[in-house]
Amino acid sequence: MNVLYSPRYLVDIGLHVFPTRKYQLVHAGLLADGVIAEQDVIEPQTAAWDDLALVHTREYLAKIRDGTLTSDDIAQLELPWSPEMVEGFRVMVGGTIEAARLAVEHRSIVGHIGGGLHHAFPNHGEGFCPFNDVAIAIRVLQRNGVQRVAVVDLDVHHGNGTAFIFESDSSVFTFSMHQQYNYPMWKPRGSLDIGLMDGIGDADYHRQLEEALPAVMASNPECLFYLAGADPYEQDQLGGLGLTLDGLRARDRIVIDQARRNGLPMVIVLAGGYARRVEDTVAVHIATMKEAAR
Ligand SMILES: [Zn+2]
């Protein structure tokens, strides 16, 4: 399996609940476990500002490029601004774009050890997400002739930015299954939203997921984006669901098998993960990629 990764994803954001070192740890773990070999790893190009502008406003892009975000902008983004931060996330957007291009070209599953920045809106960044990489990659695919795309977002937090971007666009089916009473407070309507009650466990989660996926497939996507967030984990600091490590892996299998059975190109991005022990977050992400490489 091809995976996209860059060491530039390791951005210094100081003491923070978001462990930017997880990317490096997942990459190293996948190599150590023999899930991928060095030659499977592709280092992405930095996404062009014009590609970012397929989703984001020119005003916002100028502010984040030039470092003229207001203190309110920074508070909403919840990341300290630096040229290195902006560059790191631009490369990460490039990773999702390249993963999508490869998945469609080879009709295969491609993993991105990064991405899933689903809280970014056209005119602002939010919740550790400066740019909406999945939305941008979808627009790039559509520019290249792909018509219908679907997003399966299983991060514990609602994919508010993605839902907003495609709210009135019937060519993109957005499915989010998340914890209802958690950030973000305002949840723009996606094509299919399932807001879960606090603390639900593996069996209930799997059942609701299996019931929802036929609606995603019925939208006839030509490519599927899977946000395999690690934060539905019972030990997550920013999540309130009760999934176990095995339960998360079974979740991944349900989604990946669905794409595989239908011969659907698929892009897997990591999205969130804030377990008390970073090793647990890394283990969830590694297990996702193992399922994909199976
Ligand atoms: Zn999240």
Side-chain angles (χ1 to χ4, degrees):
M1 181 176 68
N2 279 132
V3 299
L4 278 291
Y5 169 72
S6 169
R8 294 171 75 186
Y9 299 168
L10 177 63
V11 174
D12 182 4
I13 55 173
L15 192 60
H16 202 290
V17 68
F18 173 22
T20 56
R21 70 185 189 284
K22 78 175 185 178
Y23 304 113
Q24 187 182 50
L25 295 171
V26 172
H27 172 251
L30 289 170
L31 285 171
D33 291 355
V35 182
I36 55 170
E38 294 282 2
Q39 63 267 23
D40 298 323
V41 183
I42 300 165
E43 182 153 359
Q45 306 274 317
T46 309
W49 290 102
D50 282 343
D51 286 347
L52 302 184
L54 293 169
V55 165
H56 295 288
T57 64
R58 292 285 180 184
E59 292 75 11
Y60 171 59
L61 293 177
K63 281 199 287 184
I64 195 161
R65 184 191 61 215
D66 301 340
T68 55
L69 296 170
T70 66
S71 54
D72 281 353
D73 293 334
I74 302 272
Q76 196 168 24
L77 177 58
E78 297 185 71
L79 288 176
W81 185 90
S82 68
E84 180 207 13
M85 183 278 283
V86 176
E87 284 307 295
F89 281 102
R90 280 178 68 211
V91 178
M92 193 178 280
V93 176
T96 303
I97 292 173
E98 183 63 11
R101 199 186 62 72
L102 288 168
V104 169
E105 188 178 313
H106 301 298
R107 299 198 62 76
S108 63
I109 299 178
V110 179
H112 181 197
I113 307 173
L117 309 170
H118 58 168
H119 300 310
F121 284 72
N123 67 352
H124 70 271
E126 194 179 306
F128 322 150
C129 301
F131 308 115
N132 198 310
D133 60 308
V134 166
I136 294 162
I138 289 171
R139 290 305 186 211
V140 170
L141 285 183
Q142 290 184 323
R143 189 176 61 193
N144 297 342
V146 170
Q147 290 172 358
R148 308 189 55 78
V149 178
V151 179
V152 173
D153 186 340
L154 299 185
D155 191 275
V156 81
H157 304 103
H158 179 252
N160 55 343
T162 313
F164 180 86
I165 290 162
F166 299 114
E167 198 165 25
S168 54
D169 183 342
S170 62
S171 71
V172 181
F173 190 98
T174 58
F175 166 46
S176 178
M177 192 162 90
H178 48 270
Q179 185 187 4
Q180 183 64 23
Y181 299 108
N182 196 335
Y183 167 87
M185 290 298 288
W186 179 53
K187 299 174 176 67
R189 217 167 129 160
S191 310
L192 177 60
D193 289 307
I194 298 179
L196 302 168
M197 292 302 110
D198 295 358
I200 77 156
D202 296 337
D204 198 4
Y205 187 99
H206 295 152
R207 182 182 54 75
Q208 298 207 49
L209 176 60
E210 281 175 328
E211 284 172 9
L213 287 175
V216 178
M217 300 310 297
S219 71
N220 286 317
E222 294 156 67
C223 182
L224 198 69
F225 286 77
Y226 174 32
L227 284 78
D231 47 14
Y233 177 46
E234 58 189 349
Q235 296 291 326
D236 197 87
Q237 300 173 89
L238 301 185
L241 297 182
L243 273 73
T244 64
L245 296 176
D246 285 345
L248 284 160
R249 182 155 186 170
R251 167 201 73 166
D252 296 333
R253 192 177 311 133
I254 291 168
V255 179
I256 291 165
D257 281 354
Q258 185 72 240
R260 205 169 256 148
R261 262 201 306 279
N262 291 278
L264 197 56
M266 184 181 204
V267 180
I268 301 176
V269 294
L270 300 189
Y274 317 93
R276 285 180 186 82
R277 293 162 17 101
V278 71
E279 296 84 356
D280 286 347
T281 294
V282 169
V284 173
H285 291 318
I286 286 177
T288 302
M289 294 302 172
K290 281 183 178 167
E291 277 304 318
R294 205 162 45 92

